[in-house]
């Protein structure tokens, strides 16, 4: 019999019950909750007279709607001015208080983007199943966990039963063979992967990211890669646990301690695919071929290296795809064959669950240090992923580097990744963004998003246009 | 959830691939704490000429005459014919809520994003997968025939065209059973409380750090 993949191992360890048709009841170890996708689930519980099955398995924080304006400009101490958004955050607070769920509220230093705070607290552990009503839950797979996004009906289902009704996905391996070059980051790797497999390439699969290019990444870098598994169509992305994973988890507030630590580490050392494991599909990319990436269109698969040009629909043989490219070019206000490094920007956004961790901010600060945001850039903002990331950055003086360079230094939250709060693009504005989606209207109606790494976003802010950070 | 047996309805076209859930229901409407009322803001940025915000009187807004669902021939449509990777992006269940609230009970496409596909079944919407050439044929037939309607029989797993042709489709047995009977997943799972408790007891021995 063939060996097991990492996904097989995680899946098998969590099957409570299997029906004849293959539908399983899968046990969920950790459930993360935020304000946008939970109110209807809590209401459902109340209407049915149900209670959370295991209240301590849940961890909540508001992130999508919170203001990120700095304290000197009023900030969040004044509360949320939008009454609809305020009600949603208050509803989360009330639901967590009523049901006894731990919540890092808006004024707690541990508050932040749900996918940043959970690993930071050690609430995401290797070997876990973890879900959240948010598609970027795939992030947590970076620690050797099975993690994916769910809808609100399933949020209610997990609250009520600690389980999900699931069918197993197929196994896909994406291997980055060999090391990537200097100046090429986790974001460039995952954008290159999506460019290769397409936004639906991973549909129906759980993706394991492997190979030297992935193993070389820090845990934070692996989170960036797994975060965007969903942009390649896969609900779950994951990376085998290794010594880096164990070192990352050690000592965090929710991590196991003392005698449980040794037992946990022994179990975590098994969290990798067996040598003879079979994958349904394997994609191999040569690490050395990956260049810093910039998206040009309205889907993350519409991506090219920074030294490339905007592609030409006339060269595309598939008529539906060519139409999609034309629509994207029209929306983005771009001409085919334009060199990427001549495209100027209006705004830069460094943040989001993809790229708002301390290493991301350090990488951006290296570029920003001693430089100034270009005159044509109306706003360059840095939004840390959590209160603790912000505090760490300030301890290292990164806030001063950014402020001196002309960036705004903000409070933690999802911010302009999806523009549910006040941070958004105006129609026609072009943004270098470290977020994960360049969909039409995602960062504000009519806004034009180009996805890049933190260093590339900082470089674009300083140059006023896209530029290869390696030659900067 | 309403039971789904047979549904007959007018077909509307969504002729773009990779329609994402941000397009289906833009984020500003996700601030609602209710499950209903999203229909008037379905495809908001494509459907109206102005920028929509929660609380606006949608009936007073200017419609985009070029948007497909605003065309007179598609008024009252309840079956949406779409392209590849429909419902990609965010996991927001507000997307199926908006489609349902607008009046769609069936979607037909060559492929869907996983989370959206799953969310549809939880809300009594049947997402049908047909191969791309078959979907293409339907696109042409709908475009050529005003008033084109299809009849979808979940029990028999067939779609019947106006000229009486029958198209078979696949659906997972368990999902079909739940949809046919309008079953509440949580109620079903809670029939297995003993299994869950037994799993937890075993797991506490194997991996106590998870509890």
């Amino acid at each position: 019999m063939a060996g097991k993949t990492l996904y097989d191992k995680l899946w098998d360890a969590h099957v409570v019950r299997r029906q004849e048709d293959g539908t399983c009841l899968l046990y969920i170890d950790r459930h993360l909750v935020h304000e946008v996708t939970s109110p209807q689930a809590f209401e459902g519980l109340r209407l049915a007279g149900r209670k959370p099955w295991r209240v301590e398995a849940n961890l909540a924080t508001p992130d999508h709607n919170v203001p990120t304006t700095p304290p000197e400009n009023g900030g969040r101490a004044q509360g949320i001015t939008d009454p609809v958004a305020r009600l949603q955050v208050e509803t989360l607070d009330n639901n967590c208080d009523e049901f006894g769920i731990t919540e890092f509220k808006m004024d707690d230093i541990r508050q932040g983007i749900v996918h940043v705070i959970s690993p930071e607290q050690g609430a995401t552990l290797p070997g876990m199943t973890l879900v959240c009503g948010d598609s970027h839950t795939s992030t947590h797979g970076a620690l050797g966990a099975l993690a994916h996004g769910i809808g609100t009906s399933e949020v209610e289902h997990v609250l009520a039963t600690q389980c999900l009704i699931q069918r197993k996905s197929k196994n896909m391996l994406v291997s980055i063979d060999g090391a990537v070059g200097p100046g090429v980051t986790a974001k460039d790797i995952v954008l290159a992967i999506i460019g290769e497999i397409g936004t639906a390439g991973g549909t129906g699969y759980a993706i394991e990211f492997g190979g030297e290019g992935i193993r070389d990444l820090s845990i934070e870098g692996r989170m960036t890669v797994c975060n965007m598994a969903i942009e390649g169509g896969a609900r779950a992305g994951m990376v085998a646990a290794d010594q880096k994973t164990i070192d990352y988890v050690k000592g965090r507030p929710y991590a196991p301690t003392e005698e449980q630590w040794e037992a946990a580490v022994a179990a975590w050392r098994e969290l990798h695919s067996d040598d003879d494991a079979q994958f349904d599909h394997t994609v191999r990319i040569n690490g050395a071929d990956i260049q810093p990436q910039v998206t040009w269109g309205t889907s993350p698969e519409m991506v090219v290296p920074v030294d490339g040009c905007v592609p030409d629909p006339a060269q595309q043989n598939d008529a539906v795809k060519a139409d999609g490219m034309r629509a994207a070019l029209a929306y983005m206000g771009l001409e085919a064959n334009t060199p990427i490094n001549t495209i100027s920007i209006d705004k830069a956004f460094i943040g989001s669950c993809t790229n708002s961790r301390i290493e991301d901010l350090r990488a951006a600060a290296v570029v920003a240090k001693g430089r100034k945001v270009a005159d044509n850039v109306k706003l360059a903002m840095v939004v840390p992923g959590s209160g603790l990331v912000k505090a760490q950055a300030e301890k290292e003086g990164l806030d001063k580097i950014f402020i001196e360079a002309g960036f705004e230094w903000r409070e933690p939250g999802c911010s302009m990744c999806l523009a549910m709060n006040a941070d958004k693009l105006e129609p026609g504005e072009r943004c270098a963004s470290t977020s994960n989606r360049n969909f039409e209207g995602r960062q504000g109606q009519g806004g034009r998003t180009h996805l890049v790494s933190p260093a590339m976003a900082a470089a674009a802010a300083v140059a006023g246009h896209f530029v290869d950070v390696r030659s900067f | 959830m309403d039971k789904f047996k047979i549904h007959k309805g007018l077909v509307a076209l969504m002729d773009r691939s990779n329609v994402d859930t941000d397009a289906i229901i833009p984020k500003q409407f996700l601030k609602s704490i209710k499950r209903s009322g999203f229909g008037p803001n379905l495809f908001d940025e494509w459907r109206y000429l102005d920028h929509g915000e929660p609380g606006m009187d949608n009936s007073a807004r200017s419609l985009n005459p070029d948007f497909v669902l605003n065309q007179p021939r598609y008024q009252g449509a309840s079956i949406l014919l779409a392209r590849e990777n429909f419902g990609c992006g965010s996991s927001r269940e507000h997307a199926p809520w908006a489609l349902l609230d607008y009046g769609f009970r069936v979607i037909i496409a060559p492929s869907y994003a996983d989370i959206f596909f799953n969310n549809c079944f939880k809300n009594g919407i049947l997402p049908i997968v047909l191969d791309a050439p078959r979907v293409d044929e339907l696109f042409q037939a709908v475009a050529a025939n005003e008033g084109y309607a299809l009849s979808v029989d979940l029990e028999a797993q067939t779609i019947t065209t106006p000229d009486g042709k029958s198209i078979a489709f696949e659906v997972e047995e368990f999902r079909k059973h739940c949809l046919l009977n309008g079953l509440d997943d949580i109620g079903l799972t809670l029939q297995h409380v003993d299994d869950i408790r037994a799993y937890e007891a075993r797991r506490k021995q194997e991996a106590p750090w998870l509890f």
Side-chain angles (χ1 to χ4, degrees), chain A residues 9-203:
Chain A
K9 291 179 184 181
L10 292 167
W11 175 271
D12 290 348
H14 289 89
V15 174
V16 171
R17 186 173 183 280
R18 188 176 190 279
Q19 290 176 200
E20 262 182 31
D21 72 342
T23 305
C24 291
L25 207 54
L26 197 72
Y27 193 79
I28 302 302
D29 297 313
R30 176 70 67 203
H31 182 214
L32 304 175
V33 180
H34 64 85
E35 78 276 22
V36 179
T37 56
S38 67
Q40 299 87 352
F42 283 113
E43 186 63 15
L45 279 192
R46 258 192 298 274
L47 289 172
R50 289 170 178 143
K51 298 260 179 252
W53 178 274
R54 185 151 80 85
V55 74
E56 65 278 12
N58 298 280
L59 179 63
T61 197
D63 55 6
H64 285 62
N65 273 299
V66 299
T68 65
T69 33
E72 60 272 22
N73 297 351
R76 60 178 57 172
Q78 300 191 350
I80 303 173
T81 49
D82 174 354
V84 190
R86 188 172 63 233
L87 176 64
Q88 198 168 51
V89 172
E90 286 170 357
T91 302
L92 178 70
D93 293 349
N94 294 338
N95 283 329
C96 289
D97 290 347
E98 178 187 337
F99 290 105
I101 290 171
T102 301
E103 183 198 7
F104 300 155
K105 292 191 165 77
M106 207 164 72
D107 58 356
D108 190 317
I109 191 167
R110 297 169 298 177
Q111 179 270 340
I113 305 173
V114 72
H115 307 308
V116 174
I117 68 160
S118 181
E120 183 174 79
Q121 291 293 320
T124 303
L125 293 176
M128 270 186 166
T129 45
L130 181 152
V131 295
C132 172
D134 190 282
S135 61
H136 291 111
T137 308
S138 55
T139 309
H140 307 263
L143 286 110
L146 175 55
H148 62 81
I150 55 177
T152 298
S153 294
E154 289 186 320
V155 169
E156 185 181 341
H157 194 280
V158 172
L159 282 167
T161 70
Q162 210 54 46
C163 292
L164 275 181
I165 299 172
Q166 293 276 291
R167 284 171 75 93
K168 199 178 171 196
S169 304
K170 291 180 285 185
N171 277 290
M172 184 190 290
L173 173 67
V174 175
S175 180
I176 305 301
D177 295 335
V180 299
V184 175
T185 67
K187 183 64 163 289
D188 303 307
I189 292 174
V190 72
L191 285 171
I193 291 170
I194 296 163
E196 175 80 21
I197 69 171
T199 48
T203 302

Side-chain angles (χ1 to χ4, degrees), chain A residues 13 17 21 27 40 53 82 88 151-154 157 167 204 235 418 420 437 440-442 445, chain B residues 16 22 27 30-31 34 46 51 89-91 93 114-115 118-119 172 174 186 189 192 195 199-200:
Chain A
R17 186 173 183 280
D21 72 342
Y27 193 79
Q40 299 87 352
W53 178 274
D82 174 354
Q88 198 168 51
T152 298
S153 294
E154 289 186 320
H157 194 280
R167 284 171 75 93
R235 287 200 301 172
L418 86 167
M420 265 189 89
R437 289 191 174 129
E440 283 187 22
R442 171 80 177 182
Q445 190 170 22
Chain B
R16 305 169 62 126
D22 276 78
K27 65 264 176 180
L30 272 50
K31 294 173 187 170
K34 297 186 196 144
W46 293 341
H51 175 72
S90 155
S91 62
E93 198 162 317
D114 286 340
I115 301 177
N118 194 39
N119 283 341
E172 283 172 27
F174 180 71
I186 296 176
T189 297
H192 305 297
D195 291 328
Y199 173 88
E200 285 182 323

